[in-house]
Amino acid sequence: MILEWIRFIVGTIILCCGLLIFALEVFGVFRFDFVLNRMHAAAMGDTLGIGISLIGLIIFSGFNFTSLKMFLVVIFLWFASPVSSHLIGRLEVTTDEELENYCEIEDNCQP
Amino acid sequence: MKRKNNAFFRWFFGEEDTLIGKVEMKAQPEYEQKEGEIRELMEERAQLREQIYDVRDNTKLKLFHKMYNIAAVIFCITLISILLVNVSWLPHYGDGDNPVNNEVSARYIESGLQETGAVNIVTGMILDYRAFDTFGESNVLFIATVTVLILMRLDKEKKAPAKPGVEVYSKAEDDMTMTIAEAQANDRIYEPKNDAILQKVAGFLVPIIFIFGIYVVLNGHLSPGGGFSGGAIIGAGLILYLNAFGFEKTERFFTEKTYKWICFVALTFYCLAKSYSFFTGANHLESGIPLGTPGAIVSSGLILPLNICVGMVVACTMYAFYALFRKGGF
Amino acid sequence: MSPVLENAYHVVFVGALIFLAVMLIFCFIRAVRGPRVADRIVAVNMIGTIVMVIITILSLLLKEGYLADICIIYAMISFLAVIVLTKVYMGVYFEKKQKGEKK
C-alpha cells in the first residue's frame, strides 16, 4: 500500500519537472531575438522535456509492455530530434543573407 | 518475356509505325485559303467581340453580368439553407434506435470473434465480411500510382530528334519537358550534399522503422493497426532512406521492376484468395483454413496474409508518389 | 487501488493535460508570427513533441495500452516532415539564386 503511494509521489515529481522544462522551452522560444537562439532553446527543451516526462510516466504505469513502447519512443526521439535541429540550423545558415552581422562563421565551413 | 524481332514488338516499343503512308487512298492537296474566307473570319471575330466580350458599351451585357452575380449568391444561399434544414431533421447522434444500429452491426459485434477469429472487430470486418471492398481500395491505390506515372514520367534518354516528314508541333525552345538526366542535375541543388550526420542516424533508424512497420502489419487482427497504417510506416521508412542516401543507392534495391512485381504478386494473391468462391458455387464465403485460437498471431484464417498484401501495396504506393513527384521516375 | 489514489491519479493527469494544452496554444502563436521559415518549422516540431506527451498521458488515463503505438508513429512522421521541409526550402532558395544570376 505504501509502495503505491511512493510510486505515485515519485512519478508526480518527475512528471512535474518535465512539464516545467516544457514551460521554460516555450518561454525561451518567445523571448530570444534571433532565429538560431530560438532553435537551440527548442531543441534542448524538446529532447530533455520529453525524456524526463516519459520516464515519469513509465514509473506511473509500472512494468509492462506499454512502458517498453514508451522507452522506445524516448530512444527514437533522442536520436531523431538533434538531427532535426541540425538540419534546421543548416537551412537557416544557408538562406540568411545578413548572418555575418550577428554571428561568427569559421572559414572552412561548407553550407 | 524476351523481346523478339518481329513487327509486333517493333510497334510496341515505338520504333516503327505500320500505318504511315498506308491509310489514305490518295494524297491530299495542299490547303489554300480562299479570298472570301478571310473577310468572313474578320466579320465573325468582330461580331463576337461586340456581343460577348464588350462590356463597356453593351448595356444589356453589363446588366447581365450584374444580375448573374446576384443570382449566383441567392442560389448558393438557398441551396445551403435547404441542406441545413435537412440536417436538422436527422436523429440524434448515438441514439439507440437509429437506423444505423440495425441487425447487421449487431451481428458483426456479437459473432464477429467467433466467425472471423479476429480479436479486433474492425479488421475482421474489412478483411473478412467485406473483403471485396478492401480489394477495390487496393486496386484504387494501384491505379492512382499508374496515373501519376503516366503524367509525370520523364524520358530516359534525350528527346528523339525530328524525323523528316513528321510534323513537329512545338518549337525546340518552347519545349519545357526535361529528360531524366536534366532532372537529376536539377535535383542536386535540393540535396544537402550527403549530410554525414543524417546518413549515420538514418542508417540506425531505418531498420527500426521497418521492424515497427512490420509489427503493426502483422498485429492487425489483435490491436489497432493492420495493412494500411503499417504500409504507411514502411513507406515512410523508404522515403527517409531516399532522403538520406540519394537516388543511386536506393535504386540498388527498389527499381521499377521491383515495384511492378510487388504490386502484381500482392494484388493477384488477394484476388485468387478471395474469389475462389465464385468457382465453388458462392454458397459460403468461408475458407478452408482453420481459425485457430483468438489472440495468437497465427489465427483468423486468411486475415494475416491479406494484411501483408495490403501493406505491401500501400508502402509501394507511398514511395512511388514521393519518387515520381521529386524526380519523375523510380 | 483505493479510491483516494484513483482520484489523485485522475487529478494529476487532467492537470498535466490542461497545462500542456496551454503550451500548445503558445507554440501556435509562434508558428503564425515568426518572421522566417525556420521559426515555423521549429514551432511545428515543438507542437508535435507536445502532442506526443499528450497522447502518452491519455493512454495512461484511459488505460488502453495500444495508444503508445501512435506515439512512435507520430515521432517518425514529424521527423520525416522536418527533413523533407528543410530540403524543399533550401532547394527553393538555391533555385531563386540561380535564376537571379542568370538574369
Side-chain angles (χ1 to χ4, degrees):
Chain A
M1 192 55 206
I2 280 288
L3 206 61
E4 303 262 343
W5 277 99
I6 291 181
R7 180 210 276 188
F8 174 71
I9 292 180
V10 169
T12 311
I13 291 178
I14 297 184
L15 183 65
C16 282
C17 284
L19 295 185
L20 195 70
I21 293 176
F22 271 119
L24 280 176
E25 172 193 353
V26 171
F27 183 65
V29 162
F30 264 93
R31 285 282 281 189
F32 279 127
D33 294 328
F34 299 108
V35 182
L36 286 172
N37 291 348
R38 290 197 277 253
M39 179 215 73
H40 187 238
M44 299 280 195
D46 261 353
T47 319
L48 192 64
I50 205 168
I52 291 189
S53 303
L54 283 190
I55 287 180
L57 288 175
I58 287 176
I59 293 181
F60 266 144
S61 88
F63 208 42
N64 51 9
F65 211 40
T66 310
S67 308
L68 187 68
K69 288 183 197 167
M70 288 195 235
F71 191 59
L72 192 63
V73 173
V74 170
I75 288 184
F76 186 87
L77 268 167
W78 275 28
F79 270 100
S81 180
V83 175
S84 318
S85 62
H86 159 74
L87 285 171
I88 296 176
R90 215 169 141 172
L91 167 75
E92 186 55 35
V93 164
T94 52
T95 60
D96 203 355
E97 308 284 329
E98 311 157 2
L99 196 62
E100 300 285 334
N101 297 344
Y102 49 82
C103 195
E104 277 183 25
I105 306 184
E106 294 177 16
D107 283 332
N108 53 357
C109 269
Q110 43 167 348
Chain B
M1 197 157 69
K2 273 211 298 223
R3 182 206 152 147
K4 305 192 187 99
N5 196 16
N6 58 18
F8 172 69
F9 282 105
R10 271 178 285 158
W11 167 77
F12 187 70
F13 285 103
E15 289 166 2
E16 155 188 315
D17 197 344
T18 51
L19 292 178
I20 279 187
K22 291 190 198 157
V23 175
E24 293 105 7
M25 301 285 282
K26 58 181 175 182
Q28 289 198 332
E30 293 270 335
Y31 177 64
E32 298 165 0
Q33 218 175 21
K34 306 204 189 78
E35 294 179 8
E37 283 189 10
I38 298 182
R39 212 184 326 134
E40 274 183 26
L41 261 175
M42 302 296 294
E43 279 180 16
E44 244 177 66
R45 284 209 188 130
Q47 207 181 24
L48 266 179
R49 214 181 305 138
E50 192 186 292
Q51 289 193 342
I52 294 185
Y53 292 110
D54 190 8
V55 187
R56 254 183 291 166
D57 298 335
N58 203 346
T59 48
K60 267 210 266 185
L61 202 59
K62 254 201 290 192
L63 199 61
F64 172 71
H65 273 261
K66 285 199 190 137
M67 284 294 127
Y68 188 83
N69 288 340
I70 296 178
V73 169
I74 291 181
F75 174 71
C76 278
I77 292 181
T78 317
L79 193 62
I80 291 176
S81 53
I82 290 178
L83 290 172
L84 282 178
V85 163
N86 258 338
V87 163
S88 73
W89 282 349
L90 289 174
H92 274 289
Y93 187 71
D95 211 357
D97 32 306
N98 280 349
V100 88
N101 297 335
N102 52 4
E103 314 88 38
V104 181
S105 61
R107 163 72 184 263
Y108 284 164
I109 296 177
E110 280 167 24
S111 35
L113 179 56
Q114 230 180 356
E115 292 185 355
T116 66
V119 175
N120 183 10
I121 312 180
V122 174
T123 306
M125 209 183 78
I126 63 174
L127 284 177
D128 197 307
Y129 284 121
R130 298 198 159 249
F132 280 116
D133 298 346
T134 315
F135 181 48
E137 283 179 29
S138 316
N139 272 330
V140 163
L141 284 171
F142 178 63
I143 291 176
T145 311
V146 165
T147 313
V148 173
L149 194 70
I150 292 177
L151 287 175
M152 307 215 69
R153 181 137 133 206
L154 300 175
D155 296 322
K156 277 207 201 315
E157 300 100 12
K158 277 279 166 205
K159 300 174 271 254
K163 304 192 191 93
V166 177
E167 277 204 9
V168 177
Y169 288 104
S170 63
K171 293 188 268 213
E173 55 260 17
D174 288 348
D175 204 352
M176 302 261 281
T177 58
M178 293 196 284
T179 59
I180 274 204
E182 286 174 15
Q184 260 178 354
N186 212 4
D187 196 60
R188 289 282 153 235
I189 58 177
Y190 281 82
E191 281 190 79
K193 298 244 176 13
N194 296 333
D195 200 355
I197 298 181
L198 187 59
Q199 279 184 350
K200 281 275 185 285
V201 168
F204 172 73
L205 285 181
V206 165
I208 291 186
I209 296 183
F210 278 155
I211 290 181
F212 186 67
I214 295 177
Y215 157 76
V216 169
V217 167
L218 290 181
N219 265 340
H221 52 283
L222 300 178
S223 73
F228 292 102
S229 37
I233 297 173
I234 297 180
L238 279 171
I239 293 178
L240 178 58
Y241 188 84
L242 175 66
N243 265 320
F245 289 100
F247 280 106
E248 290 178 3
K249 278 204 180 171
T250 316
E251 272 176 19
R252 278 197 221 156
F253 66 90
F254 198 98
T255 56
E256 195 171 323
K257 213 166 144 188
T258 319
Y259 169 76
K260 276 190 226 174
W261 273 105
I262 288 183
C263 282
F264 172 70
V265 165
L267 288 174
T268 315
F269 177 73
Y270 198 130
C271 176
L272 289 175
K274 272 300 176 184
S275 64
Y276 76 99
S277 64
F278 291 147
F279 308 117
T280 58
N283 275 328
H284 280 286
L285 285 178
E286 285 171 8
S287 61
I289 306 179
L291 285 182
T293 54
I297 286 231
V298 186
S299 68
S300 70
L302 269 180
I303 290 188
L304 185 62
L306 295 185
N307 253 335
I308 298 178
C309 295
V310 170
M312 290 198 298
V313 172
V314 173
C316 288
T317 301
M318 286 206 52
Y319 174 72
F321 274 162
Y322 184 74
L324 278 170
F325 273 91
R326 168 121 171 240
K327 191 183 106 169
F330 277 100
Chain C
M1 288 204 292
S2 67
V4 179
L5 200 60
E6 294 232 7
N7 225 2
Y9 267 119
H10 194 82
V11 164
V12 165
F13 282 148
V14 173
L17 280 177
I18 295 178
F19 181 74
L20 283 172
V22 172
M23 292 292 120
L24 204 67
I25 294 183
F26 286 143
C27 284
F28 260 120
I29 296 179
R30 170 49 75 199
V32 168
R33 237 183 62 181
R36 303 191 55 91
V37 167
D39 278 328
R40 301 195 167 107
I41 301 181
V42 158
V44 167
N45 208 8
M46 271 170 60
I47 290 178
T49 309
I50 292 182
V51 167
M52 271 186 255
V53 181
I54 290 181
I55 293 178
T56 316
I57 294 183
L58 268 178
S59 95
L60 286 180
L61 182 65
L62 303 172
K63 293 200 177 41
E64 309 268 13
Y66 56 84
L67 290 177
D69 289 347
I70 304 180
C71 216
I72 303 181
I73 298 175
Y74 209 88
M76 292 174 192
I77 300 283
S78 86
F79 175 50
L80 201 65
V82 168
I83 291 181
V84 174
L85 272 175
T86 53
K87 199 186 270 284
V88 165
Y89 276 116
M90 277 208 276
V92 166
Y93 176 75
F94 280 131
E95 233 183 62
K96 278 195 193 158
K97 226 166 76 162
Q98 268 185 6
K99 254 197 214 165
E101 279 172 3
K102 254 193 207 169
K103 275 193 196 162

